[in-house]
């Protein structure tokens, strides 16, 4: 899919403007509104800079203009640092003049409720009158250290020499761009650009990143997300970044599941906001880090580790400090990664090469590890052995005292097919700079090091279909009763039990069932999502009299517990016990589109934090991967000699339900729970579907 030319045309005025204007420029260089002028001068911006302040003739010694219209030319990029109402006027003026990009620092828009939303609508409409695209509002600016563009008031950019490199940062939080630069400054990590996207009233984070993909100086991306608004644009960027071979690291707030969607099914509770985000990032091919430090440190490793690498990589650890290595081993284990010790043959080869180590889980060089020749020999043997997918060097005090020795030897091994990374136990900024300049990923903490390694090896190729990331169908949601729900699921290939609906008023007559007793009797109502909780299920009914008694009990209990009058019941044959039960769910997320969920089944499904979530639809391979992720479903594999369940049939059922995404776009929520797994197939014992009339999407 080719890039949108309207988006790619943004790159020049966004990051490489030949002329800029600051609206609301202050004469006081200490103020936020005075900093961009000072920063531009200090960074050596060689383009034209104009400053707008209608109440002054000069600002910080430079000519001040009363308005954008008074300028001698049309700027490529305008930074607005005024109040909210004045910002709307400035955007309108810029649009009339034909300014390509306006970045708005001002707050007071959608975040301030109805009045602010109306103001944001006017801001968007003002830009739309011309070619102007808006970054923000509430944007702390746009920075390109390569060309001296410092359109920001963030104080972190007041220090000299913002480091240049290949990472492009896009953040929904303004202060983060400065925080990353301040952390990276002494570690040799450099940036090709940083953008605070703010409120994304017009340009989204995904559109901004897409606009920069053709820039050869940008080699990777680091994204800081507060939400998944405009996820469709982010999906478009993900697909294009994959084609361009540029990896993406992402840090997202909201790993807790307190913000659950309001749904009627267990699926809604299981597919919480963060689980959906995780599924989205996986499909996008992003490497999600869980430490803030890792966000700026991980991209260097992502550039060395290709997507779709081994899920359980063989990590070798070589060290000069046993305690530091033990810390690292612990951190890797906490993230599900295991350290592999060198084989006996490799230990012997290392000794012959002048790098003797004891037979152990880690290759401990001891005091000899401070020598350049010993470290070089050890790394050469480890990388050439074929026993490891990554080699981690944990460096002791020599990293700080004599970085020209062991650290330099590590720096010289960065070009090998087996990547090496470094973690220095002491704080060693000079060592980090040496490694970064040589292309060897270096980490300041064991947590960020393990985090980045885990994220890199869990990264898959982008499989996102941007068109599938759509909003919710338009209309009023309606809950189908169980019979209609089961029929809909059966139509897409979900195995279901035979069933017969009976009116409670006719149960005084003899009923001929199309299947044998024993049966289960259930309340049948489109007002009742959870029948068991309301006393709407009776199991093990053995004859017609028991059927009538069960129906009467259900009518009374549901009326008492749920306040619902039941006039029909659903009768099904009792299913055999099978091997185990699962929940297969589906929902259309307002943020990321359709997702499919797998969990342990039954009424206690959402008690256990044990589920797998993917964007829908999925294929059989992905369905099997989901089965393997749910710890509670290991019983289905023939645990302790028990008969294994039919995992192929279960995978097929997952695939079938996920097809709702393309075959039933009006369905916003569906669940088969429990699905009983047998040795020779699966069957859904209960079904729930919520949908809207029509298939149009918001």
């Amino acid at each position: 899919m080719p890039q949108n030319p309207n988006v790619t045309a943004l790159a020049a005025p966004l990051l490489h403007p030949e002329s800029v204007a600051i609206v609301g420029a202050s004469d006081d260089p200490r103020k936020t509104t005075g900093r961009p002028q000072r920063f531009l001068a200090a960074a050596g911006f060689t383009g034209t800079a104009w400053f707008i302040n209608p109440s002054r003739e000069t600002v910080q010694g430079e000519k001040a203009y009363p308005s954008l219209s008074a300028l001698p030319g049309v700027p490529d990029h305008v930074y607005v640092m005024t109040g909210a109402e004045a910002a709307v006027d400035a955007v309108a003026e810029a649009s009339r003049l034909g300014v390509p990009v306006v970045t708005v620092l001002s707050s007071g828009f959608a975040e301030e409720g109805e009045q602010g939303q109306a103001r944001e609508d006017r801001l968007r409409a003002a830009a739309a009158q011309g070619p102007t695209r808006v970054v923000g509002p509430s944007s702390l600016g746009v920075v390109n250290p390569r060309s001296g563009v410092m359109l920001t008031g963030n104080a972190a950019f007041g220090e000299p020499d913002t480091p240049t490199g290949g990472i492009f940062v896009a953040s929904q939080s303004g202060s983060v761009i400065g925080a990353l630069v301040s952390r990276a400054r002494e570690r040799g990590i450099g940036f090709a650009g940083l953008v605070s996207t703010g409120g994304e009233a017009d340009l989204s984070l995904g559109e901004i990143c897409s606009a920069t993909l053709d820039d050869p100086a940008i080699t990777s991306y680091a994204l800081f997300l507060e939400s998944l608004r405009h996820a469709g644009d982010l999906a478009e960027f993900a697909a294009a970044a994959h084609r361009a071979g540029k990896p993406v690291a992402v840090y997202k707030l909201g790993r807790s599941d307190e913000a659950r969607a309001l749904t009627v099914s267990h699926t809604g509770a299981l597919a919480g906001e963060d689980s959906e985000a995780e599924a989205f990032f996986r499909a996008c091919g992003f490497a999600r880090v869980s430490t803030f430090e890792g966000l700026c440190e991980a991209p260097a490793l992502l550039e060395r580790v290709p997507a779709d690498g081994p899920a359980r990589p063989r990590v070798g650890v070589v060290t000069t400090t046993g305690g530091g290595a033990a810390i690292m081993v612990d951190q890797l284990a906490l993230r599900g990664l295991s350290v592999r010790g060198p084989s006996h043959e490799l230990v012997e080869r290392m000794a012959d090469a002048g790098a003797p180590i004891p037979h152990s889980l880690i290759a401990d060089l001891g005091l000899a590890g401070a020598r350049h020749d010993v470290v070089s020999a050890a790394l050469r043997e480890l990388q050439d052995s074929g026993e490891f997918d990554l080699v981690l060097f944990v460096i002791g005090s020599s990293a700080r005292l004599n970085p020209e020795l062991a650290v330099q030897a590590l720096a010289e091994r960065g070009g090998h097919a087996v990547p090496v990374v470094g973690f220095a136990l002491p704080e060693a900024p000079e060592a980090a700079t040496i490694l970064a300049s040589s292309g060897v990923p270096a980490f300041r903490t064991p947590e960020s090091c393990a985090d980045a390694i885990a994220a890199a090896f869990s990264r898959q190729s982008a499989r996102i279909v941007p068109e599938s990331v759509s909003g919710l169908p338009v209309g009023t949601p309606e809950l189908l009763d169980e019979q209609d729900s089961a029929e809909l699921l059966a139509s897409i290939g979900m195995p279901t039990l035979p069933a017969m609906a009976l009116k409670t008023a006719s149960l005084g007559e003899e009923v001929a069932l199309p299947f044998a007793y024993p049966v289960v009797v259930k309340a049948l109502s489109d007002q009742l999502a959870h029948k068991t909780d309301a006393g709407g299920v009776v199991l093990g009914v053995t004859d017609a009299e028991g059927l009538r008694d069960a129906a009467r009990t259900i009518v009374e209990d549901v009326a008492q517990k749920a306040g619902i009058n039941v006039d029909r019941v659903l009768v099904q044959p009792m299913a055999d016990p099978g091997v185990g039960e699962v929940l297969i769910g589906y929902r259309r997320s307002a943020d990321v589109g359709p997702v499919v969920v797998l969990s342990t089944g039954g009424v206690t499904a959402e008690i256990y934090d044990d589920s797998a979530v993917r964007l829908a639809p999925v294929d059989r391979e992905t369905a099997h991967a989901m089965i393997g992720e749910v710890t509670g479903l290991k019983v289905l594999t023939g645990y302790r000699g028990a008969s294994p369940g039919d995992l192929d049939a279960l995978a097929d059922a997952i695939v079938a339900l996920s097809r709702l995404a393309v075959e039933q776009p009006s369905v916003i929520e569906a669940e088969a729970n429990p699905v009983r797994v047998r040795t020779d197939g699966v069957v859904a014992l209960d079904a729930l579907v919520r949908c809207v009339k029509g298939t149009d999407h918001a």
Side-chain angles (χ1 to χ4, degrees), residues 75-284:
D76 295 326
H77 195 146
V78 172
Y79 193 27
V80 178
M81 309 182 76
T82 66
E85 284 296 336
V88 175
D89 294 339
V91 169
E93 184 180 16
S95 183
R96 289 194 298 271
L97 294 171
V99 174
V101 176
V102 177
T103 298
V104 178
L105 170 67
S106 320
S107 58
F109 292 88
E111 77 278 4
E112 293 195 358
E114 186 175 338
Q115 185 175 0
Q117 181 62 61
R119 187 180 293 122
E120 184 169 304
D121 292 341
R122 288 194 287 115
L123 177 82
R124 194 180 297 107
Q129 295 302 308
T132 301
R133 299 302 304 271
V134 175
V135 180
S138 300
S139 167
L140 270 184
V142 176
V143 171
N144 182 1
R146 296 171 288 159
S147 56
V149 174
M150 292 284 161
L151 298 177
T152 179
N154 190 303
F157 294 93
E159 299 181 40
D161 301 326
T162 297
T164 60
I167 304 173
F168 183 86
V169 174
S171 171
Q172 291 176 338
S173 171
S175 60
V176 164
I177 60 172
L180 288 175
V181 165
S182 65
R183 288 171 180 268
R185 184 171 273 114
E186 294 186 357
R187 301 188 55 75
I189 298 173
F191 302 95
L194 304 99
V195 175
S196 160
T197 64
E200 300 183 31
D202 178 25
L203 278 171
S204 67
L205 184 145
E207 287 180 297
I208 290 169
C209 290
S210 291
T212 68
L213 275 168
D214 290 336
D215 190 331
I218 295 174
T219 56
S220 57
Y221 290 80
L223 312 182
F224 185 94
L225 304 180
E226 295 174 336
S227 72
L228 284 177
R229 61 180 182 266
H230 307 299
D233 292 337
L234 199 54
E236 293 274 6
F237 161 65
H242 173 64
R243 293 192 296 270
K246 298 187 178 185
V248 181
V250 61
Y251 181 101
K252 183 185 178 296
L253 298 178
R255 278 192 173 270
S256 65
D257 282 333
E258 293 179 1
R260 301 277 192 180
L262 293 175
T263 66
V264 299
S265 71
H266 298 290
T267 298
L270 292 167
E273 179 184 354
D274 192 66
S275 295
E276 292 175 356
E278 191 75 39
F280 179 73
F281 296 148
R282 186 193 298 264
C284 284

Side-chain angles (χ1 to χ4, degrees), residues 252-549:
K252 183 185 178 296
L253 298 178
R255 278 192 173 270
S256 65
D257 282 333
E258 293 179 1
R260 301 277 192 180
L262 293 175
T263 66
V264 299
S265 71
H266 298 290
T267 298
L270 292 167
E273 179 184 354
D274 192 66
S275 295
E276 292 175 356
E278 191 75 39
F280 179 73
F281 296 148
R282 186 193 298 264
C284 284
F286 294 167
R288 187 181 189 182
V289 295
S290 58
T291 60
F292 183 62
E293 199 91 36
L295 183 58
C296 64
E297 293 179 336
L301 180 58
L302 299 182
E303 292 179 23
R304 297 297 321 281
V305 176
D308 301 317
R312 298 188 64 82
R314 301 169 298 170
V315 178
V317 175
V318 58
T319 187
T320 62
T321 164
I327 294 172
M328 200 66 255
V329 170
D330 277 348
Q331 288 298 321
L332 290 167
L334 288 173
R335 291 160 177 81
L337 300 176
S338 299
V339 171
R340 167 177 281 197
S343 67
H344 288 285
E345 294 78 11
L346 178 55
V347 171
E348 292 176 0
R349 290 199 300 272
M350 291 179 69
D352 293 341
I357 59 171
H359 291 281
S360 176
L361 183 64
I362 58 175
D364 192 347
L365 297 172
L367 294 177
R371 291 170 46 186
H372 181 282
D373 60 327
V374 172
V375 172
S376 293
L379 292 174
R380 181 182 65 249
E381 295 299 328
L382 290 165
Q383 288 178 292
D384 290 346
S385 68
E387 296 182 11
F388 304 103
D389 300 303
L390 178 139
V391 175
L392 166 60
F393 187 16
V394 181
I395 319 167
S397 59
S398 64
R400 187 175 181 89
L401 299 176
N402 302 103
E404 74 280 1
L405 299 176
V407 172
Q408 184 58 43
L410 175 60
E412 294 166 1
R413 299 299 304 176
H416 198 279
V418 175
V420 290
V421 301
F423 160 60
L425 189 59
E427 189 68 28
E430 184 181 350
T433 299
I434 291 172
L435 294 177
S437 64
S438 68
V440 173
F443 300 90
R444 194 177 71 85
T445 69
E447 292 82 6
S448 65
C449 181
D451 181 29
I453 293 172
F457 281 98
S458 66
R459 183 169 67 103
Q460 300 177 347
S461 295
R463 296 174 172 84
I464 192 75
V465 178
E467 295 79 10
S468 71
V469 183
S470 57
L472 296 175
V474 175
T476 302
E478 296 180 353
L479 182 68
L480 304 184
D481 64 35
E482 184 181 346
Q483 184 180 33
D484 290 341
S485 296
E487 289 177 356
L488 188 150
L489 296 190
S491 72
I492 60 167
M494 174 68 70
T496 59
L497 287 172
M500 183 175 186
L502 300 173
K503 292 184 177 180
T504 55
S506 65
L507 285 178
E509 307 169 4
E510 191 66 29
V511 176
L513 298 177
F515 37 77
Y517 288 97
V519 298
V520 56
V521 185
K522 306 176 184 178
L524 187 59
S525 170
D526 59 8
Q527 301 176 57
L528 193 60
H530 301 299
K531 295 179 286 294
T532 302
D533 296 343
V537 179
V538 177
L539 302 173
V541 175
T542 58
D543 53 33
E545 184 178 354
L547 173 57
R548 289 190 289 271
D549 290 342

